[in-house]
Amino acid sequence: MRKLPIDESLSYIEQYPISQYFSFDIVPFIHVYEFDKGEFIFHEHSIPDYLYYMVEGKAKLYITHKNGKISLIDFITAPTFMGEMELLNAERYSKGIQTLSKSVCFAISIQEVKEKLLADPVFLKMLCLFLSHKATTATAKYTQNQAYSLENRLASFILLSSDQQFYKEKHTEVCDYLGVSYRHLLFVLAQFSEAGYITKQNRGYVLTNRPELEKLAAEITY
Amino acid sequence: MRKLPIDESLSYIEQYPISQYFSFDIVPFIHVYEFDKGEFIFHEHSIPDYLYYMVEGKAKLYITHKNGKISLIDFITAPTFMGEMELLNAERYSKGIQTLSKSVCFAISIQEVKEKLLADPVFLKMLCLFLSHKATTATAKYTQNQAYSLENRLASFILLSSDQQFYKEKHTEVCDYLGVSYRHLLFVLAQFSEAGYITKQNRGYVLTNRPELEKLAAEITY
DNA sequence: ACAATAATGTGAGAAATCTCATATTTTACT
DNA sequence: AGTAAAATATGAGATTTCTCACATTATTGT
């Protein structure tokens, strides 16, 4: 993590407007940080000092269980806030957030502006919408996880995350995200290959029978 | 559902203060309704007209999947808000809410006060805290559901939901809540009986070996 | 009080998913 | 370039959980 020099910082602040979320001038309170790929924005069980607004990059939000299993709660993509729950103090200790690519974040010192933020209707309204949306998608994901087998969920995930008929997510992340073992993920992936729905190529898979994948995914959607 | 007469309504409003959550006088906008046990407060996929504040009673929040499985997302107990996500319009269609006991709710017409609410910092701050707390507990529940077997989760649930060493939740609800089949719930319950951790009695179970249940539950807690 | 409906309970077999062991390939680091 | 660490891959066997079928109480409405 490194703090960007003034001129670069200002350029980011100009490029990614954040003022709309506040009814007072937030710019004086912003520090711009850059995180390398793989760096932690929040360590698990830490007490965050900053509310972040990620403007570039990708990260994963996860928790580690006592038995060693990891639940990848969400893939986080810019633009988004991070640490808002901790700001609210509803949850004192943070979950973990680790970047998946080089990321740029606006950091706002909680200590400096907590009071102002929690009395700012513009910020609070945005935050309500954000939290509500986050809760809705999380609930959808988790209830589906327990109502459908991996076959359906993986088909759905492949369709959502593939880019131009090409799927290349990391197995190690996907199994934590879908809540199954690495072994089982590979097993179902092999089934899909076997059935000709996908075909291994280089470091990923080409979708070779999209309609069938869509049929499997459609069993979930309501 | 029936609307309570003026005098009863006022008595409830007096007994359960709600003004603290608003910076304007909300009382003129409140209608007091009573729901019988088993009545629906929201039908699934409906568009709510009211934001509710439940002051007495218990209900369950659930969704039905395409394959017929039901996910019981949460047991709702007074006092709490309902329909707040729909008010925010983050989610246009509601999930289902059905009461588990006779319940009394304050109903606030969305159409009448939406504008005012979404600009009210007192209300918005409370709502942020509420949503954040809800998201935190839901995430904890769901990630644990996929990281631990029913043995651990059920032990934990029995300890949490039993009253004075006596467990008497409905199996049909519990299996939807814990995300397993009815059959499997009964199977693990039988295991616990077999091992002497619980003992069937009348319409429920007596906890006959709390320490062992606690040991199982402790595998989860972090 | 009686029928209808919901909840409880159990067996048997199958499917989904897990654990563990181990080998190979890729990626990251110095 | 060389080594350590991470990611990929696969087999075998065990566990967990599911489906379905069916029987037996409770509960509810009229």
Side-chain angles (χ1 to χ4, degrees), chain B residues 149-195:
Chain B
S149 74
L150 185 60
E151 197 182 20
N152 302 113
R153 293 183 282 134
L154 181 57
S156 168
F157 182 76
I158 288 174
L159 290 168
L160 271 172
S161 62
S162 62
D163 183 46
Q164 302 287 57
Q165 315 297 316
F166 195 65
Y167 171 82
K168 57 171 193 333
E169 297 298 318
K170 272 217 187 84
H171 300 334
T172 40
E173 277 160 12
V174 175
C175 62
D176 289 340
Y177 183 70
L178 295 177
V180 297
S181 67
Y182 183 87
R183 185 67 191 85
H184 190 54
L185 173 63
L186 271 278
F187 180 78
V188 176
L189 235 20
Q191 271 185 196
F192 284 0
S193 282
E194 180 65 27

Short mmCIF file of all heavy atoms in Angstrom, two decimals, chain B residues 149-195:
data_model
loop_
_atom_site.label_atom_id
_atom_site.label_comp_id
_atom_site.label_asym_id
_atom_site.label_seq_id
_atom_site.Cartn_x
_atom_site.Cartn_y
_atom_site.Cartn_z
N SER B 149 -21.17 -29.08 9.28
CA SER B 149 -22.23 -30.06 9.07
C SER B 149 -23.38 -29.79 10.03
O SER B 149 -23.25 -29.07 11.02
CB SER B 149 -21.71 -31.48 9.24
OG SER B 149 -21.51 -31.73 10.60
N LEU B 150 -24.51 -30.42 9.74
CA LEU B 150 -25.70 -30.16 10.54
C LEU B 150 -25.49 -30.50 12.01
O LEU B 150 -26.08 -29.86 12.87
CB LEU B 150 -26.89 -30.96 9.99
CG LEU B 150 -28.21 -30.68 10.68
CD1 LEU B 150 -28.61 -29.22 10.57
CD2 LEU B 150 -29.32 -31.56 10.14
N GLU B 151 -24.67 -31.47 12.28
CA GLU B 151 -24.39 -31.84 13.66
C GLU B 151 -24.01 -30.60 14.49
O GLU B 151 -24.59 -30.32 15.54
CB GLU B 151 -23.26 -32.87 13.69
CG GLU B 151 -23.16 -33.61 14.98
CD GLU B 151 -21.99 -34.59 14.99
OE1 GLU B 151 -21.06 -34.41 14.17
OE2 GLU B 151 -22.00 -35.51 15.81
N ASN B 152 -23.05 -29.85 14.00
CA ASN B 152 -22.60 -28.66 14.71
C ASN B 152 -23.67 -27.57 14.72
O ASN B 152 -23.94 -26.96 15.76
CB ASN B 152 -21.34 -28.09 14.06
CG ASN B 152 -20.21 -29.08 14.02
OD1 ASN B 152 -19.80 -29.53 12.96
ND2 ASN B 152 -19.69 -29.47 15.18
N ARG B 153 -24.26 -27.33 13.59
CA ARG B 153 -25.22 -26.23 13.49
C ARG B 153 -26.47 -26.49 14.31
O ARG B 153 -27.00 -25.58 14.94
CB ARG B 153 -25.59 -26.01 12.03
CG ARG B 153 -24.44 -25.50 11.21
CD ARG B 153 -24.88 -25.24 9.81
NE ARG B 153 -24.99 -26.43 8.99
CZ ARG B 153 -26.00 -26.72 8.21
NH1 ARG B 153 -27.04 -25.90 8.15
NH2 ARG B 153 -25.99 -27.81 7.48
N LEU B 154 -26.90 -27.74 14.31
CA LEU B 154 -28.10 -28.06 15.07
C LEU B 154 -27.84 -27.93 16.57
O LEU B 154 -28.67 -27.40 17.31
CB LEU B 154 -28.59 -29.46 14.72
CG LEU B 154 -29.87 -29.91 15.42
CD1 LEU B 154 -31.02 -28.96 15.16
CD2 LEU B 154 -30.25 -31.33 15.00
N ALA B 155 -26.69 -28.39 16.99
CA ALA B 155 -26.34 -28.24 18.41
C ALA B 155 -26.40 -26.77 18.79
O ALA B 155 -27.01 -26.38 19.80
CB ALA B 155 -24.95 -28.80 18.68
N SER B 156 -25.81 -25.94 17.97
CA SER B 156 -25.80 -24.52 18.22
C SER B 156 -27.23 -23.95 18.24
O SER B 156 -27.60 -23.17 19.12
CB SER B 156 -24.97 -23.84 17.12
OG SER B 156 -25.14 -22.45 17.15
N PHE B 157 -28.03 -24.39 17.27
CA PHE B 157 -29.41 -23.89 17.18
C PHE B 157 -30.24 -24.33 18.38
O PHE B 157 -31.04 -23.54 18.91
CB PHE B 157 -30.05 -24.38 15.89
CG PHE B 157 -31.45 -23.88 15.70
CD1 PHE B 157 -31.69 -22.56 15.31
CD2 PHE B 157 -32.53 -24.70 15.94
CE1 PHE B 157 -32.98 -22.09 15.15
CE2 PHE B 157 -33.83 -24.24 15.79
CZ PHE B 157 -34.05 -22.93 15.39
N ILE B 158 -30.06 -25.54 18.81
CA ILE B 158 -30.81 -26.04 19.97
C ILE B 158 -30.48 -25.22 21.21
O ILE B 158 -31.36 -24.79 21.96
CB ILE B 158 -30.50 -27.53 20.23
CG1 ILE B 158 -31.15 -28.39 19.14
CG2 ILE B 158 -31.01 -27.97 21.60
CD1 ILE B 158 -30.80 -29.87 19.21
N LEU B 159 -29.20 -24.95 21.39
CA LEU B 159 -28.79 -24.17 22.55
C LEU B 159 -29.38 -22.76 22.50
O LEU B 159 -29.84 -22.23 23.51
CB LEU B 159 -27.27 -24.11 22.64
CG LEU B 159 -26.59 -25.43 23.02
CD1 LEU B 159 -25.09 -25.36 22.81
CD2 LEU B 159 -26.92 -25.79 24.47
N LEU B 160 -29.37 -22.17 21.32
CA LEU B 160 -29.87 -20.80 21.18
C LEU B 160 -31.37 -20.71 21.35
O LEU B 160 -31.88 -19.73 21.91
CB LEU B 160 -29.51 -20.25 19.80
CG LEU B 160 -28.17 -19.56 19.67
CD1 LEU B 160 -27.88 -19.26 18.21
CD2 LEU B 160 -28.17 -18.27 20.48
N SER B 161 -32.08 -21.69 20.84
CA SER B 161 -33.54 -21.55 20.78
C SER B 161 -34.26 -22.25 21.90
O SER B 161 -35.48 -22.11 22.03
CB SER B 161 -34.05 -22.07 19.43
OG SER B 161 -33.74 -23.45 19.32
N SER B 162 -33.53 -23.02 22.72
CA SER B 162 -34.24 -23.72 23.78
C SER B 162 -34.45 -22.78 24.96
O SER B 162 -33.70 -21.85 25.19
CB SER B 162 -33.47 -24.96 24.22
OG SER B 162 -32.22 -24.60 24.74
N ASP B 163 -35.51 -23.09 25.67
CA ASP B 163 -35.94 -22.24 26.76
C ASP B 163 -35.89 -23.12 28.00
O ASP B 163 -36.61 -24.11 28.10
CB ASP B 163 -37.38 -21.80 26.43
CG ASP B 163 -37.91 -20.85 27.46
OD1 ASP B 163 -37.19 -19.91 27.82
OD2 ASP B 163 -39.05 -21.06 27.91
N GLN B 164 -35.03 -22.78 28.91
CA GLN B 164 -34.94 -23.55 30.15
C GLN B 164 -34.70 -25.04 29.91
O GLN B 164 -35.46 -25.87 30.36
CB GLN B 164 -36.23 -23.41 30.97
CG GLN B 164 -36.60 -22.01 31.35
CD GLN B 164 -35.69 -21.45 32.43
OE1 GLN B 164 -34.46 -21.41 32.25
NE2 GLN B 164 -36.24 -21.03 33.55
N GLN B 165 -33.69 -25.36 29.17
CA GLN B 165 -33.37 -26.77 28.90
C GLN B 165 -34.42 -27.50 28.08
O GLN B 165 -34.41 -28.72 27.99
CB GLN B 165 -33.15 -27.58 30.20
CG GLN B 165 -32.30 -26.90 31.22
CD GLN B 165 -30.89 -26.69 30.70
OE1 GLN B 165 -30.31 -27.59 30.10
NE2 GLN B 165 -30.33 -25.51 30.89
N PHE B 166 -35.38 -26.76 27.52
CA PHE B 166 -36.40 -27.45 26.73
C PHE B 166 -36.46 -26.91 25.31
O PHE B 166 -36.63 -25.70 25.09
CB PHE B 166 -37.77 -27.31 27.41
CG PHE B 166 -38.80 -28.27 26.88
CD1 PHE B 166 -38.65 -29.65 27.05
CD2 PHE B 166 -39.92 -27.80 26.19
CE1 PHE B 166 -39.59 -30.53 26.55
CE2 PHE B 166 -40.86 -28.69 25.69
CZ PHE B 166 -40.69 -30.06 25.87
N TYR B 167 -36.32 -27.82 24.35
CA TYR B 167 -36.32 -27.45 22.93
C TYR B 167 -37.62 -27.88 22.30
O TYR B 167 -38.00 -29.04 22.43
CB TYR B 167 -35.14 -28.13 22.23
CG TYR B 167 -35.15 -27.99 20.72
CD1 TYR B 167 -34.67 -26.83 20.11
CD2 TYR B 167 -35.63 -29.02 19.92
CE1 TYR B 167 -34.68 -26.71 18.73
CE2 TYR B 167 -35.64 -28.90 18.53
CZ TYR B 167 -35.17 -27.74 17.95
OH TYR B 167 -35.18 -27.62 16.58
N LYS B 168 -38.30 -26.96 21.64
CA LYS B 168 -39.60 -27.35 21.09
C LYS B 168 -39.93 -26.59 19.81
O LYS B 168 -41.08 -26.23 19.56
CB LYS B 168 -40.70 -27.15 22.13
CG LYS B 168 -40.81 -25.74 22.69
CD LYS B 168 -42.07 -25.64 23.53
CE LYS B 168 -42.45 -24.22 23.87
NZ LYS B 168 -41.43 -23.22 23.95
N GLU B 169 -38.91 -26.35 18.98
CA GLU B 169 -39.17 -25.70 17.70
C GLU B 169 -39.83 -26.69 16.74
O GLU B 169 -39.67 -27.90 16.88
CB GLU B 169 -37.86 -25.21 17.09
CG GLU B 169 -37.14 -24.15 17.90
CD GLU B 169 -37.94 -22.88 18.09
OE1 GLU B 169 -38.57 -22.43 17.11
OE2 GLU B 169 -37.95 -22.35 19.22
N LYS B 170 -40.53 -26.14 15.78
CA LYS B 170 -41.16 -26.99 14.76
C LYS B 170 -40.12 -27.50 13.77
O LYS B 170 -39.41 -26.71 13.17
CB LYS B 170 -42.20 -26.17 13.98
CG LYS B 170 -43.57 -26.14 14.54
CD LYS B 170 -44.59 -26.16 13.38
CE LYS B 170 -46.00 -25.96 13.88
NZ LYS B 170 -46.33 -24.52 14.04
N HIS B 171 -40.09 -28.80 13.57
CA HIS B 171 -39.12 -29.37 12.64
C HIS B 171 -39.27 -28.79 11.25
O HIS B 171 -38.28 -28.55 10.55
CB HIS B 171 -39.30 -30.89 12.55
CG HIS B 171 -39.13 -31.59 13.86
ND1 HIS B 171 -38.36 -31.08 14.88
CD2 HIS B 171 -39.62 -32.76 14.31
CE1 HIS B 171 -38.39 -31.91 15.90
NE2 HIS B 171 -39.16 -32.94 15.58
N THR B 172 -40.51 -28.60 10.84
CA THR B 172 -40.76 -28.10 9.48
C THR B 172 -40.15 -26.71 9.25
O THR B 172 -39.75 -26.38 8.15
CB THR B 172 -42.27 -28.00 9.20
OG1 THR B 172 -42.91 -27.51 10.38
CG2 THR B 172 -42.84 -29.36 8.88
N GLU B 173 -40.09 -25.93 10.31
CA GLU B 173 -39.47 -24.61 10.16
C GLU B 173 -37.95 -24.70 10.27
O GLU B 173 -37.22 -24.05 9.51
CB GLU B 173 -39.99 -23.66 11.24
CG GLU B 173 -41.31 -23.03 10.87
CD GLU B 173 -42.07 -22.49 12.07
OE1 GLU B 173 -41.50 -22.41 13.17
OE2 GLU B 173 -43.27 -22.18 11.90
N VAL B 174 -37.51 -25.51 11.21
CA VAL B 174 -36.07 -25.59 11.47
C VAL B 174 -35.30 -26.11 10.26
O VAL B 174 -34.23 -25.60 9.93
CB VAL B 174 -35.79 -26.47 12.71
CG1 VAL B 174 -34.30 -26.65 12.90
CG2 VAL B 174 -36.41 -25.83 13.93
N CYS B 175 -35.84 -27.09 9.57
CA CYS B 175 -35.10 -27.61 8.43
C CYS B 175 -34.97 -26.56 7.33
O CYS B 175 -33.92 -26.46 6.68
CB CYS B 175 -35.68 -28.92 7.92
SG CYS B 175 -37.36 -28.82 7.30
N ASP B 176 -35.99 -25.74 7.14
CA ASP B 176 -35.88 -24.67 6.16
C ASP B 176 -34.89 -23.60 6.62
O ASP B 176 -34.22 -22.97 5.82
CB ASP B 176 -37.25 -24.01 5.92
CG ASP B 176 -38.20 -24.92 5.16
OD1 ASP B 176 -37.71 -25.86 4.50
OD2 ASP B 176 -39.41 -24.71 5.23
N TYR B 177 -34.85 -23.41 7.93
CA TYR B 177 -33.95 -22.39 8.46
C TYR B 177 -32.50 -22.84 8.35
O TYR B 177 -31.61 -22.07 8.00
CB TYR B 177 -34.30 -22.12 9.93
CG TYR B 177 -33.47 -21.03 10.57
CD1 TYR B 177 -33.62 -19.71 10.19
CD2 TYR B 177 -32.53 -21.33 11.55
CE1 TYR B 177 -32.86 -18.71 10.76
CE2 TYR B 177 -31.76 -20.33 12.14
CZ TYR B 177 -31.93 -19.02 11.74
OH TYR B 177 -31.17 -18.04 12.31
N LEU B 178 -32.26 -24.10 8.65
CA LEU B 178 -30.88 -24.60 8.62
C LEU B 178 -30.48 -25.08 7.23
O LEU B 178 -29.31 -25.46 7.01
CB LEU B 178 -30.70 -25.71 9.66
CG LEU B 178 -30.86 -25.26 11.12
CD1 LEU B 178 -30.73 -26.44 12.07
CD2 LEU B 178 -29.82 -24.19 11.47
N GLY B 179 -31.42 -25.08 6.33
CA GLY B 179 -31.08 -25.42 4.95
C GLY B 179 -30.81 -26.89 4.70
O GLY B 179 -29.95 -27.23 3.91
N VAL B 180 -31.52 -27.75 5.40
CA VAL B 180 -31.39 -29.19 5.15
C VAL B 180 -32.77 -29.81 4.98
O VAL B 180 -33.78 -29.17 5.26
CB VAL B 180 -30.66 -29.92 6.31
CG1 VAL B 180 -29.24 -29.42 6.46
CG2 VAL B 180 -31.43 -29.76 7.61
N SER B 181 -32.79 -31.06 4.55
CA SER B 181 -34.09 -31.71 4.36
C SER B 181 -34.69 -32.09 5.71
O SER B 181 -33.98 -32.29 6.69
CB SER B 181 -33.93 -32.95 3.49
OG SER B 181 -33.18 -33.93 4.17
N TYR B 182 -36.00 -32.22 5.70
CA TYR B 182 -36.70 -32.64 6.90
C TYR B 182 -36.14 -33.98 7.38
O TYR B 182 -35.87 -34.18 8.56
CB TYR B 182 -38.19 -32.78 6.58
CG TYR B 182 -39.05 -33.15 7.75
CD1 TYR B 182 -39.56 -32.17 8.60
CD2 TYR B 182 -39.35 -34.48 8.01
CE1 TYR B 182 -40.35 -32.51 9.68
CE2 TYR B 182 -40.13 -34.84 9.09
CZ TYR B 182 -40.63 -33.85 9.92
OH TYR B 182 -41.41 -34.20 10.99
N ARG B 183 -35.96 -34.86 6.42
CA ARG B 183 -35.46 -36.18 6.76
C ARG B 183 -34.13 -36.14 7.49
O ARG B 183 -33.92 -36.85 8.47
CB ARG B 183 -35.31 -37.02 5.49
CG ARG B 183 -34.91 -38.45 5.75
CD ARG B 183 -36.05 -39.15 6.44
NE ARG B 183 -35.69 -40.47 6.96
CZ ARG B 183 -35.13 -40.68 8.12
NH1 ARG B 183 -34.79 -39.65 8.89
NH2 ARG B 183 -34.87 -41.91 8.53
N HIS B 184 -33.25 -35.30 6.99
CA HIS B 184 -31.92 -35.26 7.59
C HIS B 184 -31.95 -34.62 8.97
O HIS B 184 -31.22 -35.05 9.87
CB HIS B 184 -30.95 -34.52 6.68
CG HIS B 184 -29.52 -34.65 7.11
ND1 HIS B 184 -28.92 -35.87 7.33
CD2 HIS B 184 -28.59 -33.72 7.40
CE1 HIS B 184 -27.68 -35.68 7.74
NE2 HIS B 184 -27.45 -34.39 7.79
N LEU B 185 -32.78 -33.62 9.13
CA LEU B 185 -32.92 -33.01 10.45
C LEU B 185 -33.34 -34.07 11.47
O LEU B 185 -32.73 -34.21 12.53
CB LEU B 185 -33.96 -31.90 10.42
CG LEU B 185 -34.32 -31.30 11.79
CD1 LEU B 185 -33.12 -30.63 12.43
CD2 LEU B 185 -35.47 -30.30 11.65
N LEU B 186 -34.35 -34.87 11.10
CA LEU B 186 -34.84 -35.91 12.01
C LEU B 186 -33.75 -36.94 12.29
O LEU B 186 -33.63 -37.46 13.40
CB LEU B 186 -36.05 -36.62 11.40
CG LEU B 186 -37.43 -36.04 11.69
CD1 LEU B 186 -37.95 -36.50 13.03
CD2 LEU B 186 -37.43 -34.53 11.62
N PHE B 187 -32.95 -37.19 11.28
CA PHE B 187 -31.87 -38.15 11.41
C PHE B 187 -30.86 -37.70 12.47
O PHE B 187 -30.47 -38.47 13.36
CB PHE B 187 -31.19 -38.34 10.06
CG PHE B 187 -30.07 -39.31 10.07
CD1 PHE B 187 -30.30 -40.68 10.06
CD2 PHE B 187 -28.75 -38.88 10.09
CE1 PHE B 187 -29.27 -41.60 10.08
CE2 PHE B 187 -27.70 -39.79 10.12
CZ PHE B 187 -27.97 -41.14 10.11
N VAL B 188 -30.44 -36.46 12.38
CA VAL B 188 -29.44 -35.97 13.33
C VAL B 188 -30.05 -35.79 14.72
O VAL B 188 -29.39 -36.05 15.74
CB VAL B 188 -28.82 -34.64 12.83
CG1 VAL B 188 -27.84 -34.07 13.85
CG2 VAL B 188 -28.10 -34.88 11.51
N LEU B 189 -31.31 -35.42 14.75
CA LEU B 189 -32.01 -35.32 16.04
C LEU B 189 -32.02 -36.71 16.70
O LEU B 189 -31.79 -36.84 17.92
CB LEU B 189 -33.45 -34.85 15.79
CG LEU B 189 -34.04 -33.62 16.46
CD1 LEU B 189 -33.03 -32.64 16.99
CD2 LEU B 189 -34.99 -32.92 15.51
N ALA B 190 -32.26 -37.74 15.90
CA ALA B 190 -32.26 -39.11 16.43
C ALA B 190 -30.86 -39.49 16.95
O ALA B 190 -30.73 -40.15 17.98
CB ALA B 190 -32.70 -40.09 15.35
N GLN B 191 -29.83 -39.05 16.23
CA GLN B 191 -28.45 -39.28 16.68
C GLN B 191 -28.23 -38.67 18.07
O GLN B 191 -27.62 -39.28 18.93
CB GLN B 191 -27.47 -38.61 15.72
CG GLN B 191 -27.02 -39.46 14.57
CD GLN B 191 -25.95 -38.71 13.74
OE1 GLN B 191 -25.68 -39.10 12.63
NE2 GLN B 191 -25.36 -37.64 14.27
N PHE B 192 -28.68 -37.42 18.23
CA PHE B 192 -28.52 -36.72 19.50
C PHE B 192 -29.25 -37.47 20.61
O PHE B 192 -28.76 -37.58 21.74
CB PHE B 192 -29.03 -35.29 19.41
CG PHE B 192 -28.11 -34.34 18.69
CD1 PHE B 192 -26.90 -34.76 18.15
CD2 PHE B 192 -28.45 -32.99 18.54
CE1 PHE B 192 -26.06 -33.89 17.48
CE2 PHE B 192 -27.61 -32.12 17.88
CZ PHE B 192 -26.42 -32.56 17.35
N SER B 193 -30.45 -37.98 20.29
CA SER B 193 -31.22 -38.75 21.26
C SER B 193 -30.44 -40.00 21.64
O SER B 193 -30.23 -40.30 22.82
CB SER B 193 -32.57 -39.17 20.68
OG SER B 193 -33.46 -38.10 20.70
N GLU B 194 -30.01 -40.70 20.62
CA GLU B 194 -29.23 -41.94 20.77
C GLU B 194 -28.04 -41.72 21.71
O GLU B 194 -27.76 -42.53 22.59
CB GLU B 194 -28.74 -42.36 19.38
CG GLU B 194 -27.93 -43.63 19.33
CD GLU B 194 -28.75 -44.84 19.73
OE1 GLU B 194 -30.00 -44.82 19.55
OE2 GLU B 194 -28.14 -45.80 20.24
N ALA B 195 -27.36 -40.59 21.49
CA ALA B 195 -26.17 -40.29 22.28
C ALA B 195 -26.53 -39.73 23.66
O ALA B 195 -25.65 -39.48 24.48
CB ALA B 195 -25.30 -39.28 21.53
#
